[in-house]
Structures are given as structure tokens and as C-alpha cells.
Amino acid sequence: MSAPLLQIDALDIGYDGTVVVRGFGLDVAAGEFVSLLGPSGCGKTTVLRAIAGFLPAMTGRITLDGRDITRLPPEARDVGIVFQNYALFPTMTAFENIAFGLRVAGRPRQEIRQRVEAIAATSGILDQLDKKPAHLSGGQQQRVAIARALIMGSRVLLFDEPLSNLDARVRLTMRAEIRRLQRELGFTALFVTHDQEEALSMSDRIVVLNGGDTEQISTPRALYSRPATPFVASFIGNSNEVPPALAAELTTGPDGAGTGRCFVRHEDLLIGTTGLPAEVVHVEFLGAFSRVDCVARGVTLSAVLTGTDLPVPGQQVCLRLRDGNAHHFPGAPA
């Protein structure tokens, strides 16, 4: 197996002597798309800033293609970054924004034009190069920011929540576009987001952070189906935390065992005519599916149903667990 392109070892990062991120470690392969996911304040942007060189590491080491970049300034790291607000120069055209780094580096005018037009064509903005940012859509500004970062030849591109300023429909388009560009151009990506759907749909692997600590690093499917900690089980997707005794009543299989914390995803709680007696207390229509809240043994549990044949509040139903889909962890319930 080839060595990772980017290696981060035992990184402590902080501000004013206070450690914010502890012992962060990650190996990223060339061409891999890795997302840093977690709630606000968990440390994901702090990690990104340390990799970019905007924030010094207190301890640990960062290497890129075998070269130690831990103490290098940002401009010497061969790492590009796309900021949340894109940081485009408002008085420059898209062409001038993309070409800025090449001009600072003193590249010949003809080379600059050829390289800008080539990457603009790949990014789908060749016909927008004479426009200033104010006359570009959010998606077009996003493409300009990515092209500007890539044109300098950066092998690793860092994204700091770049889709958060876009409306929902444009976000869907742009996350697919970023992934397409990443695969087509072959750069390695680290993508910061608090949006689970973005991380699950775009990533080869996801790093889940919580309070400055790494909870789990895994593929999207493994993260969802095999959460390593109670935090991941509760944070990824929608889950019920079920008292162990109640979990035992929901199933007759091995998922009923255990005395620690137990989590059951909404889609794995089935509503039918056999199982644990419960009463429907709330039904919420959400478009493609509906969420049904039920009370069983004094505990409120949520399930999701599709279709139009839905129970109504006050109706008596039975709940059971889809086999093999409870997540148990040692320790006392929260």
C-alpha cells in the first residue's frame, strides 16, 4: 500500500495556551475526499486552519507527501483553501480572481490566460470570466473560488463549510459539482461541514469530532450502520435512546441483551400489530415520509413511515425492532 499523501500525527491545537483539539490524527490518501463533521464548536474548523497554516500546532506533526509542513507558512504548504464566504475580490472579474495567484507568482500572460481558461472550462464558468462576483450566482462564485485554489497546483484542497451560504436547491447541485470536480481533477479534499447529509453523500471517509476529540473515523456506510460511540449513534441520523429493559421488550433476538446505553434509529422501529404495546401521540407529515411519535412504558419513541396509511394520535399500536439494528454501548444511560 502506498504511503498517505497527507499525514497528521497527534496534533494538539489551541488558542492562548488552551488546548481546543486534542491528539488529532488522520492519514489521507491521494485523491481521497474526507469530511470533518461535528456540531458547532467541536474543533473541525480549528483542524482545517492548522493544516492550512493559519493556526500553529501546539504539538504533533503534519506531513504532505513526506515533507514536514508543520511549521511552514501557509504559502509554502502547497495546500489550497476555499473559504465559507469564498473571499473573492469584489472589484476583480472572475478571470482576475482565478488568475491572481499566478500573477503574483509572475507567470507569463499567455500562460495565465491558457491556464485560467482551461480550468474555467472544466469548472463550467468559461462564459462568466468577464463578470465580477456581484453579478455571479452563489454557485458560480463557488466555482470561481475552487478554480482559484486549484490553479496554483495545490494537491490538497481544504473546504471550510463552502455550501452554508447557498439555498437548499443550489446546495444539492453544488455538492455534486464539487465531488465531480474533485474526481475529474484528482485533488485530495478535506471538507468541513456540520451537515450530515453533505458528509454522507460526498465523502470517502468521515471524521466525527466532538468537543475537540475524535469520536470515529470511518466510511459513511460504516459510520451509519456501526457507530463506535454513543455520541456517533445519537448524532448521525435520527435515533431513539431506549432504556435497556425496554429494548429487550422490542426484540426477542440478541439485540435485547445488554445493560448499557441503547440506540435505535427511527427507521428501524417498526409499527404493526405485534410487539410492545404503545399509543400514538403525534404524527408529523414531512413529505417523502412521516414521523410517528409513540409512548410505550412511559417512554416516547419515534418511527418513520412512508405512504398515506398512517396511524392517528390516540391509536393503540405495537412496536418492534428490525432485527440486528440496535446499537448497544457500555455505561449508564445519559
Side-chain angles (χ1 to χ4, degrees):
M1 180 181 293
S2 60
L5 176 65
L6 178 67
Q7 292 181 283
I8 307 169
D9 299 311
L11 214 62
D12 281 357
I13 318 165
Y15 306 89
D16 301 323
T18 300
V19 179
V20 175
V21 174
R22 292 168 289 276
F24 184 84
L26 178 66
D27 289 350
V28 183
E32 192 175 15
F33 195 111
V34 177
S35 288
L36 306 179
L37 175 66
S40 297
C42 71
K44 52 189 184 293
T45 295
T46 298
V47 170
L48 207 73
R49 287 172 58 82
I51 297 170
F54 300 136
L55 187 64
M58 301 170 73
T59 62
R61 188 167 181 255
I62 306 171
T63 59
L64 178 60
D65 204 12
R67 182 173 66 115
D68 191 335
I69 64 171
T70 313
R71 307 301 170 193
L72 295 181
E75 64 272 15
R77 294 195 175 206
D78 196 22
V79 172
I81 187 165
V82 177
F83 295 99
Q84 186 177 42
N85 62 357
Y86 315 139
L88 299 177
F89 299 109
T91 59
M92 293 183 182
T93 64
F95 182 98
E96 291 166 337
N97 268 282
I98 296 170
F100 180 78
L102 295 176
R103 286 179 170 165
V104 170
R107 305 310 301 171
R109 181 175 299 180
Q110 185 61 27
E111 178 190 338
I112 291 174
R113 176 160 296 279
Q114 289 175 349
R115 289 176 62 176
V116 170
E117 289 181 350
I119 199 166
T122 302
S123 304
I125 52 172
L126 187 60
D127 59 346
Q128 307 295 324
L129 290 179
D130 62 340
K131 295 182 180 179
K132 293 182 179 180
H135 297 100
L136 298 171
S137 68
Q140 290 166 341
Q141 290 180 39
Q142 175 77 78
R143 291 181 175 93
V144 171
I146 293 173
R148 183 179 62 181
L150 287 176
I151 202 168
M152 298 305 294
S154 299
R155 297 185 65 187
V156 176
L157 202 56
L158 311 177
F159 293 85
D160 187 11
E161 302 207 52
L163 305 182
S164 60
N165 292 330
L166 304 178
D167 63 48
R169 185 176 295 275
V170 176
R171 282 177 76 120
L172 288 174
T173 301
M174 283 310 302
R175 75 187 191 199
E177 183 67 11
I178 289 174
R179 196 62 164 116
R180 182 190 69 81
L181 288 172
Q182 186 262 337
R183 286 172 172 151
E184 186 169 325
L185 298 175
F187 61 86
T188 302
L190 264 70
F191 188 93
V192 164
T193 181
H194 63 272
D195 188 302
Q196 295 179 31
E197 189 174 291
E198 279 179 9
L200 291 169
S201 66
M202 298 175 71
S203 310
D204 296 312
R205 285 187 300 150
I206 299 172
V207 181
V208 179
L209 292 165
N210 177 34
D213 295 316
T214 301
E215 294 274 343
Q216 187 172 354
I217 303 175
S218 193
T219 65
R221 287 186 181 275
L223 195 74
Y224 193 86
S225 61
R226 297 188 298 277
T229 68
F231 175 81
V232 176
S234 61
F235 181 72
I236 301 295
N238 296 303
S239 294
N240 303 286
E241 182 164 6
V242 183
L246 193 60
E249 293 190 71
L250 287 170
T251 179
T252 57
D255 283 333
T259 58
R261 301 180 68 180
C262 176
F263 295 84
V264 174
R265 297 202 184 282
H266 291 184
E267 66 269 24
D268 293 325
L269 190 64
L270 306 179
I271 298 178
T273 57
T274 61
L276 178 68
E279 180 182 346
V280 176
V281 294
H282 181 69
V283 178
E284 185 175 15
F285 176 70
L286 297 171
F289 62 91
S290 296
R291 193 185 76 207
V292 180
D293 296 334
C294 303
V295 172
R297 304 280 193 264
V299 178
T300 300
L301 302 172
S302 296
V304 293
L305 295 177
T306 58
T308 57
D309 187 15
L310 301 172
V312 296
Q315 184 175 337
Q316 300 300 308
V317 296
C318 291
L319 305 176
R320 62 184 178 86
L321 175 64
R322 193 190 308 273
D323 290 342
N325 284 282
H327 305 290
H328 289 279
F329 303 93

